[in-house]
Amino acid sequence: MDLPTLWFCIIALFWLGYLFLEGFDFGVGMLLPVLGRDDTERRVMINTIGPVWDGNEVWLIVAGGATFAAFPAWYASLFSAAYLPLLLLLLALIGRGVAFEYRGKVDSRRWRAVWDTVIVIGSWIPPLGVGLVLTTTVLGLPLDADGNRVGSVLEAVSWETVLGGVAVAAFSLVHGAVFLSLKTEGELRHRARAFAVRFAPLALLPVLALLLLVQWEEGLTWTLVPMLVVPVAGVVALWRLLLGREGQAFAALGVVITAAVVALFGSLYPYVLPSTLDAANSLTVENASSSPYTLKIMSWVGLFGAPAVLVYQGWTYWVFRKRIGIHHIPKAHAPR
């Protein structure tokens, strides 16, 4: 495997890590007003992701940074074409991060309600934006011979890319519900599990629709395999939820998103951004990559840096692995 192909696979792995890890904490934020009956329960929900949400966002930064360094032409063409969705995504992430920090600074119901609203909005917009951008890079854009987008600033917005955004948001919603059923106890746990059981079949439909669309337009024979794994893993997740095995259901959803990413990036390769205007203008892993020397330096840095990050993040999840409930919330944070 040459270095451009290796870094294409690494970037796909970074996106997988982001969609899986950040997916469930987006889901928790989405469900804040749905499953949290009072301020104490909402505090429990936030505390399930409190130690890990900022670490999960590192995967997005690394995915973008690796794309910039390894495939500058891919980065320039895609990010400039999807400038408005990405701007909204970043603003939402900033607001969400501020809301997590500021929510408990003032003991006021109105104050907390405002920041809860920011958390909910900041949890819906990013998965919609990420899904839109990823679908754009798989299905392509109208590019000229210089790799520049032809058309308006909204060329990245179409019914296909909107479907991609809905697919990622819907998966995140159910993923967050399963995570809450795994991390909480008592009534909140049962409520989260019931929500996941009820909405999982509906939420996975956009994911399947997106994969069918990509398979029809760009897919290869072998990408049928991961595409078919998605519904099978989804059924397994629902089955294990019905039996109260939240951990196994969570793992099955991990298989769902892994198979989906393999199908999407497998259909994309050897392109990184197809041109819908003229196939000769498409960006590939070869013509969009950095110099061999740059990729070699990046590989050595990644060889030593990536294990350290993975060990640290794994240790964080291990330390905060236990369930939490309303009795873990200090009296000072309970509503008056």
Side-chain angles (χ1 to χ4, degrees):
M1 181 185 295
D2 58 10
L3 286 179
T5 301
L6 174 64
W7 274 98
F8 176 84
C9 295
I10 291 173
I11 289 171
L13 182 63
F14 288 155
W15 279 112
L16 170 60
Y18 182 71
L19 291 170
F20 180 71
L21 296 175
E22 190 78 334
F24 69 73
D25 72 43
F26 282 145
V28 172
M30 295 175 186
L31 292 168
L32 204 60
V34 178
L35 298 180
R37 297 282 176 84
D38 54 37
D39 183 69
T40 304
E41 288 191 344
R42 288 190 287 273
R43 180 76 182 185
V44 170
M45 293 173 66
I46 292 173
N47 282 2
T48 62
I49 59 173
V52 298
W53 69 267
D54 49 354
N56 294 341
E57 288 188 357
V58 169
W59 290 83
L60 176 63
I61 298 171
V62 174
T67 304
F68 171 78
F71 300 98
W74 180 14
Y75 178 94
S77 296
L78 177 63
F79 280 50
S80 61
Y83 182 82
L84 290 180
L86 286 171
L87 177 62
L88 290 175
L89 185 156
L90 291 175
L91 291 175
L93 289 176
I94 292 170
R96 183 170 179 264
V98 171
F100 282 138
E101 299 297 330
Y102 275 62
R103 183 185 186 276
K105 298 299 184 183
V106 176
D107 187 15
S108 164
R109 291 180 185 272
R110 180 174 297 179
W111 174 271
R112 287 190 291 268
V114 169
W115 290 115
D116 284 349
T117 301
V118 175
I119 291 173
V120 174
I121 295 173
S123 297
W124 274 100
I125 292 177
L128 290 169
V130 167
L132 186 148
V133 170
L134 285 180
T135 307
T136 298
T137 199
V138 173
L139 297 181
L141 284 167
L143 302 176
D144 62 20
D146 296 321
N148 298 318
R149 180 202 70 235
V150 177
S152 72
V153 294
L154 296 179
E155 283 298 325
V157 181
S158 63
W159 74 266
E160 295 98 335
T161 59
V162 170
L163 173 63
V166 172
V168 174
F171 174 83
S172 298
L173 187 68
V174 171
H175 198 27
V178 175
F179 178 76
L180 284 171
S181 69
L182 177 64
K183 284 290 293 178
T184 60
E185 56 188 38
E187 185 181 348
L188 183 57
R189 171 192 177 186
H190 298 300
R191 203 182 304 141
R193 186 171 65 197
F195 180 93
V197 169
R198 185 180 308 161
F199 288 99
L202 182 63
L204 289 177
L205 285 179
V207 178
L208 291 173
L210 174 65
L211 294 178
L212 285 170
L213 173 66
V214 171
Q215 183 65 31
W216 177 262
E217 295 192 5
E218 308 288 344
L220 306 172
T221 302
W222 73 266
T223 56
L224 278 169
V225 176
M227 189 192 76
L228 293 174
V229 168
V230 169
V232 174
V235 170
V236 171
L238 183 60
W239 169 47
R240 302 317 291 171
L241 272 176
L242 290 170
L243 296 179
R245 303 290 187 177
E246 293 100 340
Q248 295 174 13
F250 188 75
L253 287 180
V255 175
V256 168
I257 196 63
T258 300
V261 169
V262 170
L264 291 174
F265 279 86
S267 299
L268 175 62
Y269 184 83
Y271 298 103
V272 293
L273 186 60
S275 172
T276 58
L277 192 64
D278 185 345
N281 299 337
S282 297
L283 300 180
T284 68
V285 292
E286 295 298 334
N287 66 23
S289 66
S290 295
S291 67
Y293 180 75
T294 299
L295 295 178
K296 185 176 180 181
I297 295 298
M298 289 176 61
S299 300
W300 280 108
V301 172
L303 181 63
F304 291 98
V309 173
L310 291 174
V311 168
Y312 172 76
Q313 195 161 25
W315 175 79
T316 303
Y317 276 94
W318 175 256
V319 169
F320 296 101
R321 67 190 182 278
K322 294 183 178 179
R323 295 181 182 271
I324 64 173
I326 58 176
H327 61 279
H328 292 113
I329 303 300
K331 295 290 184 181
H333 295 292
R336 292 178 179 176

